[in-house]
Amino acid sequence: MKTNRYLIETSVACLLWSGSIIACKISYGSIGPFTLGLMRFSLAAVIMLAMLAVTRDHDRPRGRDMAICAATGIVGTTLYFAGENYGALLLPASTSSLIIGAFPAITLALESAWDRTRPDGLKAAGIALAFVGVAVLAYGESSSGGSDVVLGGLALLGGGLCWAVYNLMMRPLLGKYSTTSITAWQTLFGALGFVPLVLLTEGLPTATPAPEALLSLAYLVLGCTVAGFILYNHSLKGLPASTAASFANLIPVFGLILSALILGEAITVPQHLGGSLVVAGIFLSARS
């Protein structure tokens, strides 16, 4: 029963995250990608720290564990979402969602290297197929989008590597502290990591964001960050990193649908082909 609960938690988290690219694209009309990250995670950190105070959860990581919280916050929040936000700025939402769908394969490969185990043939085939799908997506988009699309793809893939590292770095903290406590402190450190990025690239915002940008920010804070990360981090207590990460195959499926319905983005032939290969590769990896 507990395993089913963890599977449901990670599924709901990925469903919430499937709308994050759409929300980011809407916000970019009046908020820069790094400023959006700073606002999103600062607000989420305040909310989660308030939750700890209200529930009287004083189980705060200390010493080496707090250092791990800081490191996972920088890697899994600042670096990952800097890559995702910047990539989403340069790429169509549908393509961004499909590239994010390759992250489980990256996590599986890194987990195997970390644990010094060899993936079986089916897992290896799934990893290879997912990366072929990403290559097809990149080729199809670069033919019409130029260097910005290639840069956007590289930013997202770099973020995917950070996400894989984050999943493995979480291991020493799981089971020692409450999920809300771990997530709150990670989010705080991740928000602080955005400060130099904002100051060096975009500067502090001077204009009030548009109403639709504020609504999108609210969804990113409450849905994708507070609810999404608490659910996902709790699922890691009962699932291997590669299994939990494999549920990201829900993100491209719903991301494509949402980008077509909300943003009116057409789904191209390369996206159909590349997306099918990515999802098929992840499916193979998850089944083995």
Side-chain angles (χ1 to χ4, degrees):
M1 287 295 290
K2 279 192 173 181
T3 300
N4 289 337
R5 176 185 172 183
Y6 295 135
L7 292 174
I8 292 171
E9 287 173 346
T10 193
S11 298
V12 173
C14 289
L15 286 171
L16 290 169
W17 291 339
S18 68
S20 65
I21 295 294
I22 308 293
C24 287
K25 297 286 278 190
I26 294 172
S27 300
Y28 290 158
S30 54
I31 306 175
F34 296 145
T35 302
L36 180 63
L38 175 60
M39 295 172 69
R40 169 183 176 178
F41 293 105
S42 296
L43 290 171
V46 169
I47 291 172
M48 285 188 275
L49 289 173
M51 290 169 61
L52 293 179
V54 170
T55 59
R56 297 184 179 181
D57 183 348
H58 303 299
D59 192 21
R60 179 167 64 92
R62 301 180 185 277
R64 181 175 179 273
D65 288 343
M66 183 59 84
I68 295 175
C69 267
T72 53
I74 296 297
V75 173
T77 300
T78 308
L79 296 181
Y80 168 69
F81 284 100
E84 180 183 286
N85 289 2
Y86 189 65
L89 179 67
L90 300 177
L91 294 171
S94 50
T95 301
S96 300
S97 296
L98 288 167
I99 292 177
I100 289 171
F103 291 0
I106 299 174
T107 303
L108 176 60
L110 191 62
E111 184 180 53
S112 298
W114 187 285
D115 293 335
R116 297 182 180 179
T117 58
R118 239 178 120 180
D120 59 31
L122 197 58
K123 284 186 178 179
I127 291 171
L129 193 59
F131 277 106
V132 169
V134 172
V136 171
L137 281 170
Y139 175 78
E141 292 295 334
S142 62
S143 62
S144 59
S147 60
D148 281 351
V149 172
V150 175
L151 184 59
L154 290 174
L156 277 173
L157 288 174
L161 180 59
C162 290
W163 182 250
V165 172
Y166 165 82
N167 277 275
L168 296 176
M169 291 174 66
M170 279 284 291
R171 288 179 175 178
L173 301 176
L174 300 175
K176 295 176 68 174
Y177 308 98
S178 71
T179 305
T180 304
S181 179
I182 294 172
T183 308
W185 290 105
Q186 285 176 337
T187 304
L188 176 62
F189 286 115
L192 293 174
F194 273 103
V195 173
L197 292 177
V198 171
L199 294 178
L200 291 173
T201 60
E202 298 170 359
L204 296 176
T206 57
T208 302
E212 61 270 19
L214 292 175
L215 287 174
S216 297
L217 176 62
Y219 173 75
L220 289 169
V221 171
L222 298 174
C224 297
T225 308
V226 176
F229 267 91
I230 288 176
L231 286 169
Y232 184 81
N233 284 346
H234 189 267
S235 75
L236 288 175
K237 292 184 175 182
L239 298 174
S242 57
T243 300
S246 70
F247 277 75
N249 62 358
L250 295 171
I251 294 175
V253 175
F254 285 94
L256 271 174
I257 295 171
L258 289 174
S259 63
L261 292 176
I262 298 176
L263 299 181
E265 293 183 355
I267 302 175
T268 65
V269 173
Q271 285 175 337
H272 276 295
L273 177 59
S276 298
L277 291 173
V278 168
V279 174
I282 297 167
F283 179 74
L284 286 176
S285 299
R287 279 181 61 88
S288 61

